[in-house]
Amino acid sequence: MQAITLTTRGAAGVALREIPRPAEVPGHVRVRMLAASVNRVDLYMRDSGAGITHRLPQVMGVDGAGEVISAPADSGLAPGTRVVLYPAVFCGLCRACLSGEQALCHHVRILGEHRDGTFAEEISVPVRAVLPVPPEADPVQAAVLGVAYLTAWRMVFGPGAAAGPGRTVLVQGAGGGVACAAVQLALIAGARVIAATTGAEKIAYFQSVGAETLDYRETDIAREVLAMTGGEGADLVVDSVGERSWPASLRAAARGGHVVTCGATTGGHPSAEIQRLFVRQLSVRGSTLGSVEEFRRLLRCWLDGRLLPRIDSCFPLAEVPRAFDRLDDPARLGKIAIRIA
């Protein structure tokens, strides 16, 4: 079968290659991949991969959707069943798994990071890592939900989240995949949403869906958020940008507010501003993926028609390297999808 594999670090190590199809494994489902999406971690794996236990060559890609080729008889998954992949393989037995926090599994192996991923014609994963969807569901839309939208779901609705009617949510770097998802989900929650972004197209889009906007290249974000909220600040700040936006995120947060981060695109070592944290009693939380139950809720939201994923562009499997270039394009707005079949 064909797959996008990483053999060495750097862009030259990413290519479409012929590899063996996955073997039949007890308790696993073989899935014919229909679509996947590009995530920031794909570039990290391409260029570094430091701190992530893995072995090259490796199939890239973290999330995706497809249809069942074969599955255990007692799984209820007949051949042809459309499914969305939960992006992490988890043990189901550790304390985290038993408490329903599969993303915190002590033995977690994330697709495309710790093991072969979704940029392939087929994949084999445990039964518990697939969720069925109706046959009429758009596989490209489904494919973009597993990482960006699930992570955003936890950021907006998870522990300590402050999104909802009467609450203000600031989303930094709103044009990115997770950030754009957070804007959409916070609006669904009924919150007042301020999207910090730049570029006329992005500003027009976020205004069209009901968010207020600030251009971070022309505005002191923290000062403007405070002015817009009568000096109160944002109850929830979503930041996936990192060093460049972090000081403004802390200054823009309301007293007792929450700052949630899931990425460090511009660097991972900002000033902690500890005094501001304790004086204003801010909480800072990290977020990566979400639980299986949170994924089910996200899928219901999408299937009910309340959520339409924002897809910037779609590339065929052979053009994943071009999709990676688009991920770094400042004009990108939302998710980049990969159509496989």
Side-chain angles (χ1 to χ4, degrees), residues 171-191:
V171 180
Q172 298 275 32
V178 177
C180 183
V183 170
Q184 293 181 278
L185 294 173
L187 288 169
I188 290 172

Side-chain angles (χ1 to χ4, degrees), residues 83-107:
V83 293
V84 180
L85 304 182
Y86 181 73
V89 174
F90 54 92
C91 73
L93 299 173
C94 69
R95 182 172 65 181
C97 287
L98 293 175
S99 66
E101 291 287 358
Q102 293 87 0
L104 297 177
C105 173
H106 295 189
H107 310 285

Side-chain angles (χ1 to χ4, degrees), residues 103-104 109 160 167 175 244 331 340:
L104 297 177
R109 298 175 68 210
R167 299 286 186 165
R244 189 177 300 163
I340 301 173

Side-chain angles (χ1 to χ4, degrees), residues 233-257:
D235 302 287
L236 175 65
V237 181
V238 174
D239 191 322
S240 60
V241 179
E243 284 185 28
R244 189 177 300 163
S245 60
W246 192 253
S249 291
L250 294 184
R251 293 198 307 273
R255 292 179 181 273

Side-chain angles (χ1 to χ4, degrees), residues 138-195:
D138 184 334
V140 174
Q141 290 185 21
V144 308
L145 297 175
V147 175
Y149 278 84
L150 179 56
T151 298
W153 183 278
R154 168 156 284 206
M155 296 173 88
V156 171
F157 296 110
R167 299 286 186 165
T168 299
V169 177
L170 167 65
V171 180
Q172 298 275 32
V178 177
C180 183
V183 170
Q184 293 181 278
L185 294 173
L187 288 169
I188 290 172
R192 176 189 186 185
V193 180
I194 303 172

